[in-house]
């Protein structure tokens, strides 16, 4: 089991461009979570998704950020018109979800380091 | 709202010394607490969770609801324990993390 796979590991964008971050959960996991870690800070929850559904997006900025987890393929975190303040490490985690998310430890990917020039 | 506080950003001990990484939380419900560890150049991984009451790599953590704490302890630190440690609280769908403590174990 390869674990949670995120790509790319590093992403550089200029201000105003779009950033797409991908996350493939562990095999058998149907719940995906995205977290953001700004420099010198802890991880902050952004969004929780199940296949084709956004369950909790209370941590997502209201504008420019969106997330999806389609029936087929990886989960995508999309940031439109990036700004310098979007520079951060973005981590994805997954869990099986068959007993409810609060009972399932989350397994993390290596993260994507986004740098905005 | 839930909150996790790790008061020490940096902690340095000598090999063989006891180590305690502090974690305090605030949460109105019944908390589920975790410790995650990130070794150099590796991904964040689960170290232990309070409901399992395990000892992993010699580490233990006891939930103290009266003091709202979940401190991580090890009686004899090893050099390979040097890493970033995060305390986290689960409330339904999300984990709330502390800001982490960088532990360095010196030879």
């Amino acid at each position: 089991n390869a674990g949670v796979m995120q790509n790319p590991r590093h992403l550089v964008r200029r201000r105003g461009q779009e950033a797409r971050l991908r996350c493939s959960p562990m095999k058998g996991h149907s719940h995906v979570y995205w977290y953001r870690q700004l420099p010198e800070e802890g991880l902050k929850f952004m969004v929780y998704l199940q296949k084709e559904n956004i369950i909790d997006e209370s941590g997502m900025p209201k504008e420019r950020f969106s997330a999806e987890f389609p029936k087929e393929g990886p989960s995508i975190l999309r940031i439109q018109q990036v700004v310098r303040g979007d520079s951060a490490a973005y981590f994805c985690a997954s869990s099986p979800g068959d007993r409810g998310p609060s009972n399932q430890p989350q397994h993390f990917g290596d993260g994507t380091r986004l740098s905005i020039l | 709202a839930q909150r996790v506080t790790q008061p020490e950003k940096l902690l340095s001990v000598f090999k063989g010394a006891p180590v305690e990484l502090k974690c305090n939380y605030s949460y109105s419900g019944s908390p589920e607490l975790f410790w995650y560890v990130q070794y150099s150049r590796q991904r964040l991984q689960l170290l232990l969770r309070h409901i399992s009451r395990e000892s992993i790599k010699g580490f233990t953590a006891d939930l103290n609801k009266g003091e709202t704490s979940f401190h991580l302890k090890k009686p004899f630190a090893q050099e390979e324990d040097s890493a970033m440690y995060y305390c986290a609280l689960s409330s339904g769908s999300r984990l709330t993390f502390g800001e982490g403590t960088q532990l360095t174990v010196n030879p």
Side-chain angles (χ1 to χ4, degrees):
Chain A
N1 195 333
V4 178
M5 301 301 292
Q6 289 188 250
N7 69 83
R9 291 289 301 275
H10 301 275
L11 181 61
V12 179
R13 285 287 177 267
R14 296 188 181 279
R15 281 178 294 173
Q17 290 184 320
E18 179 179 285
R20 281 183 178 239
L21 289 64
R22 294 174 188 78
C23 170
S24 296
M26 283 181 71
K27 188 176 180 180
H29 286 193
S30 59
H31 292 221
V32 165
Y33 313 80
W34 285 94
Y35 294 84
R36 178 167 65 173
Q37 185 177 32
L38 295 170
E40 306 296 320
E41 294 187 15
L43 284 78
K44 298 282 195 295
F45 170 81
M46 298 181 77
V47 63
Y48 159 46
L49 310 103
Q50 297 177 21
K51 284 283 186 183
E52 300 184 280
N53 285 305
I54 297 174
I55 307 302
D56 180 356
E57 58 180 346
S58 57
M60 288 276 270
K62 293 288 183 276
E63 297 176 347
R64 301 188 297 107
F65 284 71
S66 62
E68 62 177 11
F69 188 16
K71 188 176 180 182
E72 302 291 337
S75 175
I76 306 285
L77 179 67
R78 183 181 176 209
I79 311 172
Q80 295 178 289
Q81 299 174 323
V82 295
V83 301
R84 287 252 172 90
D86 296 333
S87 295
Y90 292 82
F91 290 93
C92 173
S94 72
S95 68
D98 56 338
R99 285 186 286 141
S102 64
N103 291 322
Q104 303 291 335
Q106 295 178 19
H107 298 263
F108 283 79
D110 286 323
T112 294
R113 267 117 185 115
L114 176 64
S115 298
I116 308 303
L117 302 179
Chain B
Q2 57 266 27
R3 185 182 174 94
V4 176
T5 304
Q6 293 180 249
E8 301 143 326
K9 291 197 101 166
L10 301 170
L11 184 61
S12 184
V13 301
F14 286 103
K15 177 183 171 182
V19 63
E20 181 179 67
L21 291 86
K22 291 185 169 52
C23 172
N24 289 90
Y25 67 91
S26 62
Y27 182 57
S28 56
S30 185
E32 183 171 1
L33 287 145
F34 303 83
W35 276 98
Y36 280 83
V37 59
Q38 188 172 30
Y39 300 102
S40 179
R41 297 191 181 86
Q42 295 186 28
R43 62 182 58 183
L44 201 64
Q45 53 187 285
L46 179 67
L47 181 61
L48 54 81
R49 52 196 300 202
H50 89 270
I51 61 170
S52 59
R53 302 187 66 83
E54 299 173 293
S55 172
I56 306 293
K57 299 185 180 183
F59 284 97
T60 59
D62 290 317
L63 178 62
N64 185 324
K65 290 188 178 180
E67 295 183 359
T68 59
S69 69
F70 188 56
H71 303 326
L72 183 68
K73 300 177 185 179
K74 185 169 182 176
F76 308 104
Q78 303 300 316
E79 288 180 68
E80 55 266 29
D81 296 328
S82 295
M84 191 74 173
Y85 291 80
Y86 293 97
C87 183
L89 181 152
S90 174
S91 56
S93 58
R94 64 171 65 189
L95 286 172
T96 299
F97 284 87
E99 299 204 347
T101 298
Q102 178 68 49
L103 173 66
T104 302
V105 181
N106 299 299

